[in-house]
Amino acid sequence: MKLKNSYLLGVYDTVVKRNPCEPEFLQAVGEVLESLEPVVEKNPQLIKAGIIDRIVEPERMIVFRVSWVDDAGKVNVNRGFRVQFNSAIGPYKGGLRFHPSVNASIIKFLGFEQIFKNSLTGLPIGGGKGGSDFDPKGKSDNEIMRFCQSFMTELSKHIGADTDVPAGDIGVGAREIGYLYGQYKRLRNEFTGVLTGKGLTYGGSLARTQATGYGLCYFTNEMLSVMKSTDFKGKTVVVSGSGNVAIYATEKAMQLGGKVVALSDSSGYVYDPEGIKLDVVKQIKEVERARISEYANRVESATFTEGCSGIWTVPCDIALPCATQNELNEESAKALVANGVIAVAEGANMPSTPEAVEVFQKAGILFGPAKAANAGGVATSALEMSQNSMRYSWTFDEVDKKLSDIMVNIFHNTYNASKKYGCDGNLVVGANIAGFEKVADAMSAQGVAY
Ligand code: NDP
């Protein structure tokens, strides 16, 4: 923690006392507070208005029991969460994560980051996040459905199209959103845009599936063009993960002329020097829900290596971490730099540890932080909300064009904020400040409402 400002140090101390044993949440808060030092120094009125004291405390945190019956007839119990972090600029918006690692710290770090990310999109959405420690791996479709129905039975009391609009995240894709939506409709008897990431036959938006991965590449391309006068063409790219974000980041990176040579999952990574064959990956991950190691059994030029962090030793020009938080540490960052990486952009939320970010920044590597670089998913979710409200659908190309414009804008707002506060090109600081300013203004205007 490099905080020097005494007011911000006091805020951070309170957060530490209120949230013991929540390392991910403290990591996310610490990073934002560090970035806000020059803003607080220029705008002391923020202190009297308690804007930062308020922004680090969720408006509401809901924790609930989720009981469900497995295929053998046994009752299982999981814990459900929804954090409604900040509604200053719009209804709470943020995904649901189903993964055994989910706990209050992870949900709060994600919800906190979501405030600034959603603000950066320029669209009217507040920050929220939710999920459960339920593990979808190895469960039958019927078990997934019963879990989702039980989860939504409680969650439905707290959400609504103008209140809080959840979406997918790790472990929550089209199948889960469908079951959750069906249960919400059954309980409320209303067909509203209460979830995003819906199927195309019942209110989903074209290009939502692709949006986070595509948006990441639009952002990265703009960053490369403005800050290094180059682009994806002819570059070797490494993408971690092999879920929704990784697959569509790979697709767009290849369309823009890059060659993606590695992908991973939580058991290891595949390396294919001839370039990843995405149709094979989609068949394995989207259709069969199998392991990425299967790719090496089907493609002769590929090898599989156990252990996921090894992926960062594969030489590349561009690295796109798209799996999970803290998956890229200092040692991995040093390996990437030693192998000549020129740009790193985060598809996952907080995938780089603070030490790794420091390695990139000291080495002059372009670094696109998650809040800015992966905001395309939630931006397109907001476009889905607009289409639902209008009862109208835009074409794929219309949504894709809006997404691309939003990502280019996010890059410029982030870059300009870094320059305005004397941290030229530090996009971590730029994203935190640009995201913060709009929310702080809206909070001030609304008085001491929360
Ligand atoms: P998915 O569940 O579709 O995919 C997650 C992928 O990451 C899986 O391949 C998973 O492998 C892999 N993974 C998990 N842990 C590790 C690890 N330690 N090392 C390597 N691979 C790992 O999730 P998404 O693609 O939706 O989400 C990925 C990240 O992107 C998350 O951080 C999420 O918060 C973020 N994000 C997602 C958005 C979206 O629109 N979906 C929007 C913005 C951010 P395995 O199957 O073995 O678990």
Side-chain angles (χ1 to χ4, degrees), residues 255-439:
Q255 285 171 10
L256 293 171
K259 182 180 183 187
V260 178
V261 295
L263 283 173
S264 61
D265 63 18
S266 57
S267 39
Y269 70 95
V270 287
Y271 172 56
D272 185 349
E274 301 206 339
I276 291 286
K277 279 131 206 95
L278 201 56
D279 52 337
V280 179
V281 175
K282 284 186 178 175
Q283 173 65 26
I284 294 169
K285 300 305 288 190
E286 294 186 335
V287 180
E288 299 170 24
R289 297 179 191 275
R291 309 303 297 157
I292 197 67
S293 53
E294 190 50 33
Y295 182 89
N297 297 333
R298 296 185 196 181
V299 177
E300 215 178 306
S301 50
T303 49
F304 172 74
T305 308
E306 269 182 35
C308 11
S309 63
I311 193 169
W312 306 119
T313 63
V314 175
C316 63
D317 304 303
I318 300 171
L320 303 175
C322 294
T324 195
Q325 65 273 0
N326 293 328
E327 55 161 312
L328 200 170
N329 63 14
E330 183 176 8
E331 195 190 333
S332 300
K334 284 183 176 159
L336 281 167
V337 171
N339 284 328
V341 75
I342 60 166
V344 179
E346 299 184 322
N349 284 310
M350 207 168 74
S352 316
T353 63
E355 297 77 22
V357 177
E358 206 174 323
V359 170
F360 295 137
Q361 289 177 334
K362 279 202 174 133
I365 308 301
L366 303 187
F367 180 73
K371 281 185 199 86
N374 75 20
V378 74
T380 308
S381 276
L383 299 178
E384 182 172 330
M385 289 164 70
S386 302
Q387 293 170 83
N388 291 163
S389 298
M390 291 189 291
R391 305 215 183 279
Y392 185 74
S393 299
W394 291 316
T395 64
F396 187 98
D397 288 346
E398 282 172 313
V399 179
D400 191 36
K401 170 79 173 69
K402 288 181 203 295
L403 168 65
S404 163
D405 290 348
I406 289 169
M407 297 314 295
V408 166
N409 247 330
I410 292 177
F411 169 75
H412 286 280
N413 290 341
T414 301
Y415 187 47
N416 291 340
S418 78
K419 291 199 276 190
K420 179 173 157 194
Y421 283 93
C423 303
D424 266 39
N426 182 336
L427 302 182
V428 174
V429 170
N432 287 333
I433 293 180
F436 171 79
E437 284 187 327
K438 180 175 165 190
V439 178

Side-chain angles (χ1 to χ4, degrees), residues 100-396:
S101 64
V102 164
N103 56 30
S105 173
I106 288 185
I107 294 301
K108 276 156 69 183
F109 116 66
L110 290 164
F112 181 69
E113 298 253 305
Q114 200 82 44
I115 305 169
F116 307 95
K117 179 188 308 193
N118 292 3
S119 166
L120 281 174
T121 66
L123 299 167
I125 38 179
K129 197 81 190 188
S132 173
D133 58 1
F134 172 74
D135 187 358
K137 275 203 201 92
K139 304 288 189 302
S140 70
D141 280 355
N142 276 328
E143 287 174 326
I144 300 278
M145 181 177 75
R146 286 193 292 272
F147 175 81
C148 288
Q149 290 176 339
S150 178
F151 183 86
M152 182 53 88
T153 301
E154 176 60 31
L155 188 69
S156 64
K157 297 170 191 162
H158 310 283
I159 62 175
D162 294 315
T163 309
D164 183 356
V165 183
D169 190 77
I170 292 179
V172 179
R175 174 182 58 171
E176 291 74 19
I177 292 290
Y179 294 148
L180 291 163
Y181 190 73
Q183 181 71 355
Y184 183 87
K185 194 156 58 63
R186 174 194 197 182
L187 292 166
R188 290 296 182 90
N189 196 23
E190 58 183 39
F191 199 106
T192 51
V194 68
L195 293 170
T196 57
K198 299 185 290 298
L200 296 176
T201 51
Y202 63 96
S205 172
L206 285 159
R208 174 61 188 92
T209 306
Q210 294 82 356
T212 309
Y214 277 24
L216 171 67
C217 293
Y218 295 143
F219 179 95
T220 307
N221 218 37
E222 191 66 10
M223 176 172 78
L224 287 166
S225 153
V226 172
M227 297 175 75
K228 241 188 167 68
S229 304
T230 186
D231 56 26
F232 268 97
K233 278 189 212 87
K235 304 288 188 302
T236 300
V237 185
V238 163
V239 181
S240 66
S242 49
N244 171 266
V245 180
I247 286 176
Y248 292 96
T250 300
E251 186 164 284
K252 186 51 73 179
M254 295 195 309
Q255 285 171 10
L256 293 171
K259 182 180 183 187
V260 178
V261 295
L263 283 173
S264 61
D265 63 18
S266 57
S267 39
Y269 70 95
V270 287
Y271 172 56
D272 185 349
E274 301 206 339
I276 291 286
K277 279 131 206 95
L278 201 56
D279 52 337
V280 179
V281 175
K282 284 186 178 175
Q283 173 65 26
I284 294 169
K285 300 305 288 190
E286 294 186 335
V287 180
E288 299 170 24
R289 297 179 191 275
R291 309 303 297 157
I292 197 67
S293 53
E294 190 50 33
Y295 182 89
N297 297 333
R298 296 185 196 181
V299 177
E300 215 178 306
S301 50
T303 49
F304 172 74
T305 308
E306 269 182 35
C308 11
S309 63
I311 193 169
W312 306 119
T313 63
V314 175
C316 63
D317 304 303
I318 300 171
L320 303 175
C322 294
T324 195
Q325 65 273 0
N326 293 328
E327 55 161 312
L328 200 170
N329 63 14
E330 183 176 8
E331 195 190 333
S332 300
K334 284 183 176 159
L336 281 167
V337 171
N339 284 328
V341 75
I342 60 166
V344 179
E346 299 184 322
N349 284 310
M350 207 168 74
S352 316
T353 63
E355 297 77 22
V357 177
E358 206 174 323
V359 170
F360 295 137
Q361 289 177 334
K362 279 202 174 133
I365 308 301
L366 303 187
F367 180 73
K371 281 185 199 86
N374 75 20
V378 74
T380 308
S381 276
L383 299 178
E384 182 172 330
M385 289 164 70
S386 302
Q387 293 170 83
N388 291 163
S389 298
M390 291 189 291
R391 305 215 183 279
Y392 185 74
S393 299
W394 291 316
T395 64
F396 187 98

